[in-house]
Amino acid sequence: MSARMGAGPLRRLVVLRHAKSAWPEGVADHQRPLGPRGRRDAPAAGRMLAEADCLPDLALCSTAVRARATWDLAASQWGTPPPVRHDPRLYAADVPDLLAVVHEVPAEVETLLLVGHNPGLEELVLALAGDDLDGALAEVRTKFPTSAIAVLAWHGTTWRALTPGTALLTGVMVARGKKPT
């Protein structure tokens, strides 16, 4: 398989799985907060995105508490965070739902950050990537853990042009913050 080269500017979809959450008794799934590791890893994800020059023009984030906290902590690492839209459709979304949200993104956005949940995010990355660099697809197939970041690149005049198999998976990173000493 290979990613098709489309017309239009180079665009990037950056996919960030929320950081490690806690499982407090009696708390509904949507309300689960980040755990201690998640509170360390989310800022590390923000730093990693900055170092990789993958700062978004727009972020779309699930409304779940753990996803919102991941966004807040990651974006706190940047001088001026981009606008964010918290979209309830991203919670427990599958590939068609995720793509429907992405397809609504304005054409002027060149780099989009999507903050959400597995298994939907992992399946989205695997569906969109027609090709990869340095074995990134195999890495995602093996595991897309909490605080994982996948970067997909493609050419298109609008986000509606992003369809399965049309992107190149250029990299996968997993953010891990340092434990306090």
PDB file of all heavy atoms in Angstrom, residues 35-60:
ATOM      1  N   GLY A  35      -4.740  10.020  36.303  1.00  0.00           N
ATOM      2  CA  GLY A  35      -4.018   9.491  37.448  1.00  0.00           C
ATOM      3  C   GLY A  35      -2.680  10.208  37.575  1.00  0.00           C
ATOM      4  O   GLY A  35      -2.334  11.064  36.747  1.00  0.00           O
ATOM      5  N   PRO A  36      -1.896   9.866  38.591  1.00  0.00           N
ATOM      6  CA  PRO A  36      -0.598  10.516  38.780  1.00  0.00           C
ATOM      7  C   PRO A  36       0.306  10.424  37.542  1.00  0.00           C
ATOM      8  O   PRO A  36       0.932  11.411  37.148  1.00  0.00           O
ATOM      9  CB  PRO A  36       0.014   9.786  39.974  1.00  0.00           C
ATOM     10  CG  PRO A  36      -1.175   9.263  40.734  1.00  0.00           C
ATOM     11  CD  PRO A  36      -2.203   8.934  39.681  1.00  0.00           C
ATOM     12  N   ARG A  37       0.372   9.240  36.932  1.00  0.00           N
ATOM     13  CA  ARG A  37       1.212   9.108  35.731  1.00  0.00           C
ATOM     14  C   ARG A  37       0.677   9.982  34.602  1.00  0.00           C
ATOM     15  O   ARG A  37       1.432  10.610  33.876  1.00  0.00           O
ATOM     16  CB  ARG A  37       1.308   7.651  35.274  1.00  0.00           C
ATOM     17  CG  ARG A  37       2.371   7.502  34.176  1.00  0.00           C
ATOM     18  CD  ARG A  37       2.567   6.079  33.755  1.00  0.00           C
ATOM     19  NE  ARG A  37       1.807   5.889  32.532  1.00  0.00           N
ATOM     20  CZ  ARG A  37       1.464   4.730  32.034  1.00  0.00           C
ATOM     21  NH1 ARG A  37       1.784   3.612  32.660  1.00  0.00           N
ATOM     22  NH2 ARG A  37       0.790   4.646  30.922  1.00  0.00           N
ATOM     23  N   GLY A  38      -0.629  10.036  34.448  1.00  0.00           N
ATOM     24  CA  GLY A  38      -1.223  10.869  33.413  1.00  0.00           C
ATOM     25  C   GLY A  38      -0.909  12.343  33.604  1.00  0.00           C
ATOM     26  O   GLY A  38      -0.667  13.070  32.634  1.00  0.00           O
ATOM     27  N   ARG A  39      -0.905  12.788  34.865  1.00  0.00           N
ATOM     28  CA  ARG A  39      -0.578  14.190  35.143  1.00  0.00           C
ATOM     29  C   ARG A  39       0.888  14.493  34.849  1.00  0.00           C
ATOM     30  O   ARG A  39       1.239  15.644  34.607  1.00  0.00           O
ATOM     31  CB  ARG A  39      -0.951  14.539  36.591  1.00  0.00           C
ATOM     32  CG  ARG A  39      -2.467  14.596  36.797  1.00  0.00           C
ATOM     33  CD  ARG A  39      -2.854  15.181  38.138  1.00  0.00           C
ATOM     34  NE  ARG A  39      -2.337  14.442  39.271  1.00  0.00           N
ATOM     35  CZ  ARG A  39      -2.937  13.394  39.833  1.00  0.00           C
ATOM     36  NH1 ARG A  39      -4.085  12.947  39.347  1.00  0.00           N
ATOM     37  NH2 ARG A  39      -2.402  12.792  40.867  1.00  0.00           N
ATOM     38  N   ARG A  40       1.751  13.473  34.844  1.00  0.00           N
ATOM     39  CA  ARG A  40       3.156  13.663  34.441  1.00  0.00           C
ATOM     40  C   ARG A  40       3.310  13.564  32.923  1.00  0.00           C
ATOM     41  O   ARG A  40       4.076  14.311  32.314  1.00  0.00           O
ATOM     42  CB  ARG A  40       4.047  12.601  35.090  1.00  0.00           C
ATOM     43  CG  ARG A  40       4.217  12.730  36.580  1.00  0.00           C
ATOM     44  CD  ARG A  40       5.299  11.790  37.107  1.00  0.00           C
ATOM     45  NE  ARG A  40       5.150  10.404  36.710  1.00  0.00           N
ATOM     46  CZ  ARG A  40       4.494   9.472  37.398  1.00  0.00           C
ATOM     47  NH1 ARG A  40       3.872   9.795  38.520  1.00  0.00           N
ATOM     48  NH2 ARG A  40       4.429   8.226  36.965  1.00  0.00           N
ATOM     49  N   ASP A  41       2.571  12.634  32.317  1.00  0.00           N
ATOM     50  CA  ASP A  41       2.752  12.365  30.886  1.00  0.00           C
ATOM     51  C   ASP A  41       2.138  13.423  29.981  1.00  0.00           C
ATOM     52  O   ASP A  41       2.672  13.719  28.912  1.00  0.00           O
ATOM     53  CB  ASP A  41       2.166  10.997  30.520  1.00  0.00           C
ATOM     54  CG  ASP A  41       2.920   9.835  31.147  1.00  0.00           C
ATOM     55  OD1 ASP A  41       4.017  10.048  31.700  1.00  0.00           O
ATOM     56  OD2 ASP A  41       2.403   8.696  31.070  1.00  0.00           O
ATOM     57  N   ALA A  42       1.018  14.009  30.376  1.00  0.00           N
ATOM     58  CA  ALA A  42       0.344  14.982  29.504  1.00  0.00           C
ATOM     59  C   ALA A  42       1.214  16.210  29.205  1.00  0.00           C
ATOM     60  O   ALA A  42       1.329  16.608  28.045  1.00  0.00           O
ATOM     61  CB  ALA A  42      -1.005  15.380  30.095  1.00  0.00           C
ATOM     62  N   PRO A  43       1.880  16.823  30.207  1.00  0.00           N
ATOM     63  CA  PRO A  43       2.774  17.931  29.871  1.00  0.00           C
ATOM     64  C   PRO A  43       3.942  17.466  28.992  1.00  0.00           C
ATOM     65  O   PRO A  43       4.396  18.207  28.108  1.00  0.00           O
ATOM     66  CB  PRO A  43       3.281  18.434  31.222  1.00  0.00           C
ATOM     67  CG  PRO A  43       2.311  17.927  32.233  1.00  0.00           C
ATOM     68  CD  PRO A  43       1.742  16.653  31.654  1.00  0.00           C
ATOM     69  N   ALA A  44       4.404  16.235  29.220  1.00  0.00           N
ATOM     70  CA  ALA A  44       5.487  15.696  28.382  1.00  0.00           C
ATOM     71  C   ALA A  44       5.024  15.579  26.934  1.00  0.00           C
ATOM     72  O   ALA A  44       5.796  15.816  26.002  1.00  0.00           O
ATOM     73  CB  ALA A  44       5.952  14.337  28.916  1.00  0.00           C
ATOM     74  N   ALA A  45       3.749  15.246  26.726  1.00  0.00           N
ATOM     75  CA  ALA A  45       3.203  15.187  25.361  1.00  0.00           C
ATOM     76  C   ALA A  45       3.232  16.570  24.721  1.00  0.00           C
ATOM     77  O   ALA A  45       3.584  16.718  23.545  1.00  0.00           O
ATOM     78  CB  ALA A  45       1.772  14.638  25.376  1.00  0.00           C
ATOM     79  N   GLY A  46       2.880  17.589  25.482  1.00  0.00           N
ATOM     80  CA  GLY A  46       2.936  18.950  24.964  1.00  0.00           C
ATOM     81  C   GLY A  46       4.346  19.349  24.567  1.00  0.00           C
ATOM     82  O   GLY A  46       4.564  19.937  23.498  1.00  0.00           O
ATOM     83  N   ARG A  47       5.305  19.022  25.420  1.00  0.00           N
ATOM     84  CA  ARG A  47       6.712  19.333  25.097  1.00  0.00           C
ATOM     85  C   ARG A  47       7.169  18.560  23.868  1.00  0.00           C
ATOM     86  O   ARG A  47       7.860  19.098  22.992  1.00  0.00           O
ATOM     87  CB  ARG A  47       7.605  19.034  26.302  1.00  0.00           C
ATOM     88  CG  ARG A  47       7.391  19.997  27.461  1.00  0.00           C
ATOM     89  CD  ARG A  47       8.424  19.814  28.563  1.00  0.00           C
ATOM     90  NE  ARG A  47       8.393  18.507  29.192  1.00  0.00           N
ATOM     91  CZ  ARG A  47       7.591  18.167  30.205  1.00  0.00           C
ATOM     92  NH1 ARG A  47       6.730  19.061  30.704  1.00  0.00           N
ATOM     93  NH2 ARG A  47       7.647  16.959  30.729  1.00  0.00           N
ATOM     94  N   MET A  48       6.765  17.303  23.781  1.00  0.00           N
ATOM     95  CA  MET A  48       7.151  16.464  22.647  1.00  0.00           C
ATOM     96  C   MET A  48       6.592  17.033  21.340  1.00  0.00           C
ATOM     97  O   MET A  48       7.291  17.069  20.319  1.00  0.00           O
ATOM     98  CB  MET A  48       6.646  15.037  22.891  1.00  0.00           C
ATOM     99  CG  MET A  48       7.202  13.995  21.978  1.00  0.00           C
ATOM    100  SD  MET A  48       6.675  12.344  22.530  1.00  0.00           S
ATOM    101  CE  MET A  48       8.037  11.957  23.624  1.00  0.00           C
ATOM    102  N   LEU A  49       5.345  17.479  21.354  1.00  0.00           N
ATOM    103  CA  LEU A  49       4.748  18.076  20.154  1.00  0.00           C
ATOM    104  C   LEU A  49       5.480  19.349  19.750  1.00  0.00           C
ATOM    105  O   LEU A  49       5.717  19.589  18.560  1.00  0.00           O
ATOM    106  CB  LEU A  49       3.265  18.348  20.374  1.00  0.00           C
ATOM    107  CG  LEU A  49       2.374  17.111  20.416  1.00  0.00           C
ATOM    108  CD1 LEU A  49       0.973  17.472  20.888  1.00  0.00           C
ATOM    109  CD2 LEU A  49       2.332  16.441  19.053  1.00  0.00           C
ATOM    110  N   ALA A  50       5.860  20.162  20.728  1.00  0.00           N
ATOM    111  CA  ALA A  50       6.601  21.393  20.432  1.00  0.00           C
ATOM    112  C   ALA A  50       7.965  21.066  19.836  1.00  0.00           C
ATOM    113  O   ALA A  50       8.376  21.661  18.827  1.00  0.00           O
ATOM    114  CB  ALA A  50       6.747  22.242  21.689  1.00  0.00           C
ATOM    115  N   GLU A  51       8.667  20.108  20.434  1.00  0.00           N
ATOM    116  CA  GLU A  51       9.998  19.735  19.948  1.00  0.00           C
ATOM    117  C   GLU A  51       9.938  19.131  18.548  1.00  0.00           C
ATOM    118  O   GLU A  51      10.866  19.294  17.757  1.00  0.00           O
ATOM    119  CB  GLU A  51      10.652  18.749  20.919  1.00  0.00           C
ATOM    120  CG  GLU A  51      11.042  19.396  22.232  1.00  0.00           C
ATOM    121  CD  GLU A  51      11.374  18.391  23.322  1.00  0.00           C
ATOM    122  OE1 GLU A  51      11.426  17.174  23.049  1.00  0.00           O
ATOM    123  OE2 GLU A  51      11.554  18.841  24.479  1.00  0.00           O
ATOM    124  N   ALA A  52       8.841  18.460  18.220  1.00  0.00           N
ATOM    125  CA  ALA A  52       8.680  17.838  16.899  1.00  0.00           C
ATOM    126  C   ALA A  52       8.085  18.815  15.881  1.00  0.00           C
ATOM    127  O   ALA A  52       7.815  18.424  14.747  1.00  0.00           O
ATOM    128  CB  ALA A  52       7.800  16.598  17.012  1.00  0.00           C
ATOM    129  N   ASP A  53       7.886  20.057  16.281  1.00  0.00           N
ATOM    130  CA  ASP A  53       7.285  21.077  15.418  1.00  0.00           C
ATOM    131  C   ASP A  53       5.918  20.621  14.899  1.00  0.00           C
ATOM    132  O   ASP A  53       5.614  20.729  13.721  1.00  0.00           O
ATOM    133  CB  ASP A  53       8.222  21.445  14.264  1.00  0.00           C
ATOM    134  CG  ASP A  53       7.805  22.729  13.572  1.00  0.00           C
ATOM    135  OD1 ASP A  53       7.153  23.570  14.216  1.00  0.00           O
ATOM    136  OD2 ASP A  53       8.115  22.878  12.373  1.00  0.00           O
ATOM    137  N   CYS A  54       5.108  20.090  15.819  1.00  0.00           N
ATOM    138  CA  CYS A  54       3.773  19.593  15.479  1.00  0.00           C
ATOM    139  C   CYS A  54       2.695  20.352  16.235  1.00  0.00           C
ATOM    140  O   CYS A  54       1.677  19.768  16.635  1.00  0.00           O
ATOM    141  CB  CYS A  54       3.667  18.095  15.794  1.00  0.00           C
ATOM    142  SG  CYS A  54       4.409  17.055  14.552  1.00  0.00           S
ATOM    143  N   LEU A  55       2.901  21.632  16.449  1.00  0.00           N
ATOM    144  CA  LEU A  55       1.872  22.403  17.139  1.00  0.00           C
ATOM    145  C   LEU A  55       0.712  22.640  16.186  1.00  0.00           C
ATOM    146  O   LEU A  55       0.902  23.007  15.030  1.00  0.00           O
ATOM    147  CB  LEU A  55       2.447  23.716  17.653  1.00  0.00           C
ATOM    148  CG  LEU A  55       3.534  23.567  18.716  1.00  0.00           C
ATOM    149  CD1 LEU A  55       3.974  24.928  19.222  1.00  0.00           C
ATOM    150  CD2 LEU A  55       3.059  22.694  19.875  1.00  0.00           C
ATOM    151  N   PRO A  56      -0.498  22.443  16.682  1.00  0.00           N
ATOM    152  CA  PRO A  56      -1.677  22.532  15.811  1.00  0.00           C
ATOM    153  C   PRO A  56      -2.180  23.963  15.606  1.00  0.00           C
ATOM    154  O   PRO A  56      -1.908  24.854  16.409  1.00  0.00           O
ATOM    155  CB  PRO A  56      -2.708  21.709  16.571  1.00  0.00           C
ATOM    156  CG  PRO A  56      -2.336  21.899  18.011  1.00  0.00           C
ATOM    157  CD  PRO A  56      -0.827  21.968  18.022  1.00  0.00           C
ATOM    158  N   ASP A  57      -2.935  24.113  14.535  1.00  0.00           N
ATOM    159  CA  ASP A  57      -3.673  25.348  14.298  1.00  0.00           C
ATOM    160  C   ASP A  57      -5.015  25.300  15.032  1.00  0.00           C
ATOM    161  O   ASP A  57      -5.600  26.338  15.333  1.00  0.00           O
ATOM    162  CB  ASP A  57      -3.953  25.530  12.797  1.00  0.00           C
ATOM    163  CG  ASP A  57      -2.679  25.536  11.975  1.00  0.00           C
ATOM    164  OD1 ASP A  57      -1.737  26.247  12.360  1.00  0.00           O
ATOM    165  OD2 ASP A  57      -2.626  24.818  10.956  1.00  0.00           O
ATOM    166  N   LEU A  58      -5.498  24.088  15.278  1.00  0.00           N
ATOM    167  CA  LEU A  58      -6.770  23.858  15.948  1.00  0.00           C
ATOM    168  C   LEU A  58      -6.693  22.510  16.651  1.00  0.00           C
ATOM    169  O   LEU A  58      -6.065  21.577  16.137  1.00  0.00           O
ATOM    170  CB  LEU A  58      -7.921  23.827  14.926  1.00  0.00           C
ATOM    171  CG  LEU A  58      -9.311  23.440  15.435  1.00  0.00           C
ATOM    172  CD1 LEU A  58      -9.872  24.512  16.373  1.00  0.00           C
ATOM    173  CD2 LEU A  58     -10.270  23.194  14.268  1.00  0.00           C
ATOM    174  N   ALA A  59      -7.333  22.419  17.818  1.00  0.00           N
ATOM    175  CA  ALA A  59      -7.435  21.140  18.520  1.00  0.00           C
ATOM    176  C   ALA A  59      -8.906  20.777  18.675  1.00  0.00           C
ATOM    177  O   ALA A  59      -9.739  21.638  18.964  1.00  0.00           O
ATOM    178  CB  ALA A  59      -6.775  21.225  19.892  1.00  0.00           C
ATOM    179  N   LEU A  60      -9.202  19.509  18.456  1.00  0.00           N
ATOM    180  CA  LEU A  60     -10.518  18.943  18.718  1.00  0.00           C
ATOM    181  C   LEU A  60     -10.329  17.943  19.840  1.00  0.00           C
ATOM    182  O   LEU A  60      -9.494  17.044  19.747  1.00  0.00           O
ATOM    183  CB  LEU A  60     -11.074  18.243  17.478  1.00  0.00           C
ATOM    184  CG  LEU A  60     -11.266  19.103  16.239  1.00  0.00           C
ATOM    185  CD1 LEU A  60     -11.738  18.244  15.073  1.00  0.00           C
ATOM    186  CD2 LEU A  60     -12.249  20.228  16.509  1.00  0.00           C
TER     187      LEU A  60
END
